[in-house]
Amino acid sequence: MNPLDTLNNKPKTIVKRNGHLTAQENRVINFFSDATPLDWEDWRWQIRNRITKKEVLAKLIKLTPKEERGIDGSGTKLTMSIPPYFASLMDPLNPACPIRLQCVPQDDELTIAPEEMSDPCGEDKNSPVHGLVHRYPDRVLFLVNEMCAMYCRYCTRSRMVGDGKRTLSMETYNAAFEYIRSHKQIRDVLVSGGDPLTMSDRVLEHIIKTLKEIPHVEFVRIGTRIPVTLPQRVTTDLVNMLKRYSPIWMSIHFNHSKEITKRVKFACDLLADSGIPLGSQTVLLKGINDDPMVMKQLMHNLLKIRVRPYYIYQCDPIHGSKHFRTPVAAGIEIMEKLRGHTTGYAVPTYVIDGPGGGGKIPLGPNYVVSREKDHYLLRNFAGQQFKYYDPQ
Ligand SMILES: *Cc1c(COP(=O)(O)O)cnc(C)c1O
Ligand code: SF4
């Protein structure tokens, strides 16, 4: 079995959907001569035809000088790669489009600020064997590949992701399986990457099956951005396979309401209908979602497609990310404007990954006004104060 057989096999089924391509999708597909709506629905076509060159992108959107310089410099850092589907969501004329800001490099990313690091979460130093990060007592992060459909410009793992970077061998996987087998405290394995859903069903199944056969592994979770950047990948074959290994949890990286299209809803419906609980992970990004109303709308739209908001991450100080990072106060204000003001299910946890390897540290508004001898003085979401007598 070849862990890289991403592109080799023809898909057995292509999910058919009702209706036609949207106007924006049609605009993009027209740049690919001979491509049919069936090709558009084929995730391997989408991967093969990802936009990686400035000249191609320049035909789709009006590039700014900042973007041109960013693309020219990105090759040495994190390659540009945009599936045609995701490209169809970009505003061709507005450089401040939230989709565009996430996937088109800008020259700002070529500057490294003093506080920035290549591995801000300190993953490499908590890695007992290649591919595994064991930071918390009872669970591990398993980075099973280094390829994604689209490369997010603020990616915290830009040191390792990208096409043509390191590859993982079966021996590497076997060493990781052996580590998990011999550490009985591991009850939860988070399979991430890269993006595990860029791999073939066969390799993914091998990984999940092997993990589930370990008696102390209670469940597997998958961390992915594919349902957003390449929803065509969520085929009936894939969900039928995942269903066999229930319970499987899935965390999906969503950053803006504009990402929640009918096509994405269709993919999330397939997953949710198969009994996979869906959670979201959102990176707080300047100019993209740092407005409390934009964030609240995203949380509402996620609940509408059965995705439960899980985390909002402060943007990690990865190399070249200064233009994306907001003050911490912006994140706390967002939390303040969610809790109590809207459905509790729409309120995720805001965290900072402690730079250098501290793990997720939750932050939020302080609701304790003061702690007295026999009571707490608390405030609610509307600013009213209440005394709670604290039993001794
Ligand atoms: C985020 C993360 C996890 C999972 O954390 P949860 O809070 O359980 O979702 C596990 N390991 C590492 C290294 C992580 O970064
Ligand atoms: S999908 Fe995740 S791992 Fe891949 S580029 Fe985006 S943030 Fe990085």
Side-chain angles (χ1 to χ4, degrees):
M1 182 152 10
N2 173 8
L4 292 176
D5 72 350
T6 303
L7 301 168
N8 301 342
N9 306 329
K10 272 256 162 251
K12 274 181 271 165
T13 55
I14 292 171
V15 175
K16 303 261 191 337
R17 66 186 163 122
N18 295 328
H20 305 282
L21 302 188
T22 63
Q24 296 97 306
E25 287 175 321
N26 265 319
R27 191 180 154 267
V28 174
I29 199 174
N30 283 337
F31 288 96
F32 298 91
S33 51
D34 307 335
T36 66
L38 223 61
D39 288 329
W40 187 266
E41 271 303 303
D42 174 355
W43 67 275
R44 291 168 200 269
W45 181 90
Q46 290 278 346
I47 289 211
R48 276 196 308 274
N49 289 287
R50 285 179 304 167
I51 297 159
T52 56
K53 293 204 166 58
K54 187 171 77 174
E55 301 70 48
V56 180
L57 188 61
K59 289 182 191 163
L60 290 178
I61 63 174
K62 192 172 178 304
L63 289 172
T64 65
K66 274 177 86 69
E67 288 171 330
E68 295 209 32
R69 285 193 297 271
I71 298 169
D72 289 339
S74 65
T76 51
K77 194 186 149 266
L78 176 66
T79 46
M80 175 175 80
S81 166
I82 312 171
Y85 161 79
F86 201 67
S88 76
L89 306 182
M90 287 192 286
D91 186 323
L93 299 175
N94 181 7
C97 160
I99 301 292
R100 201 160 146 171
L101 289 173
Q102 293 184 63
C103 60
V104 179
Q106 295 186 63
D107 57 1
D108 306 88
E109 71 177 57
L110 307 175
T111 308
I112 298 175
E115 70 277 17
E116 291 175 348
M117 302 174 227
S118 66
D119 177 17
C121 302
E123 293 181 332
D124 291 344
K125 75 170 189 221
N126 283 157
S127 178
V129 300
H130 184 57
L132 279 189
V133 185
H134 195 179
R135 166 160 312 134
Y136 299 107
D138 69 340
R139 56 209 190 280
V140 283
L141 173 62
F142 187 6
L143 305 174
V144 297
N145 73 342
E146 309 194 335
M147 177 181 171
C148 304
M150 184 276 268
Y151 295 109
C152 312
R153 303 323 302 171
Y154 48 81
C155 176
T156 194
R157 298 204 184 107
S158 59
R159 71 186 185 285
M160 55 172 276
V161 305
D163 293 6
K165 296 214 177 167
R166 295 182 297 181
T167 58
L168 276 77
S169 62
M170 270 299 147
E171 292 74 61
T172 312
Y173 285 166
N174 288 338
F177 295 141
E178 205 36 60
Y179 180 90
I180 297 169
R181 244 180 240 120
S182 62
H183 288 77
K184 293 204 165 47
Q185 71 271 35
I186 299 172
R187 37 167 290 286
D188 164 10
V189 181
L190 170 48
V191 173
S192 183
D195 198 317
L197 294 190
T198 57
M199 299 194 296
S200 67
D201 291 0
R202 209 161 54 98
V203 176
L204 198 59
E205 177 162 16
H206 172 72
I207 293 170
I208 296 170
K209 184 167 183 285
T210 310
L211 291 172
K212 294 275 296 200
E213 280 166 2
I214 300 172
H216 51 271
V217 173
E218 295 170 4
F219 63 92
V220 170
R221 351 178 207 173
I222 296 176
T224 175
R225 186 148 168 65
I226 284 276
V228 178
T229 53
L230 185 62
Q232 293 80 4
R233 171 66 185 99
V234 183
T235 60
T236 46
D237 281 356
L238 175 71
V239 296
N240 288 337
M241 183 275 281
L242 294 175
K243 212 172 172 172
R244 287 200 290 278
Y245 301 95
S246 176
I248 288 191
W249 289 68
M250 190 177 278
S251 295
I252 309 176
H253 177 169
F254 275 99
N255 291 335
H256 195 276
S257 289
K258 215 179 157 181
E259 295 167 345
I260 306 178
T261 61
K262 275 194 181 141
R263 189 64 191 81
V264 165
K265 178 180 187 301
F266 185 90
C268 289
D269 278 346
L270 269 180
L271 291 164
D273 289 347
S274 315
I276 300 168
L278 305 176
S280 70
Q281 314 203 78
T282 298
V283 182
L284 180 58
L285 296 165
K286 193 191 272 177
I288 295 176
N289 58 19
D290 59 338
D291 177 291
M293 288 306 118
V294 169
M295 196 62 100
K296 186 152 101 177
Q297 190 185 38
L298 170 63
M299 299 304 142
H300 290 172
N301 287 329
L302 288 171
L303 288 182
K304 289 200 285 194
I305 60 166
R306 289 183 281 173
V307 177
R308 159 73 157 108
Y310 183 42
Y311 280 131
I312 293 177
Y313 294 97
Q314 175 69 7
C315 184
D316 292 323
I318 183 72
H319 282 168
S321 63
K322 190 153 193 148
H323 57 303
F324 283 123
R325 277 179 282 130
T326 60
V328 172
I332 293 176
E333 196 201 341
I334 286 169
M335 297 312 294
E336 175 83 54
K337 294 202 164 146
L338 289 173
R339 174 61 68 198
H341 297 277
T342 189
T343 314
Y345 278 127
V347 186
T349 306
Y350 170 49
V351 293
I352 296 186
D353 225 302
K360 298 175 182 68
I361 302 169
L363 284 160
N366 186 6
Y367 295 100
V368 178
V369 179
S370 65
R371 191 184 166 178
E372 307 299 336
K373 204 161 157 250
D374 61 348
H375 70 270
Y376 276 81
L377 188 61
L378 306 172
R379 70 164 176 97
N380 72 358
F381 76 101
Q384 298 152 319
Q385 296 195 352
F386 301 87
K387 262 186 196 172
Y388 182 81
Y389 284 94
D390 199 20
Q392 298 304 306

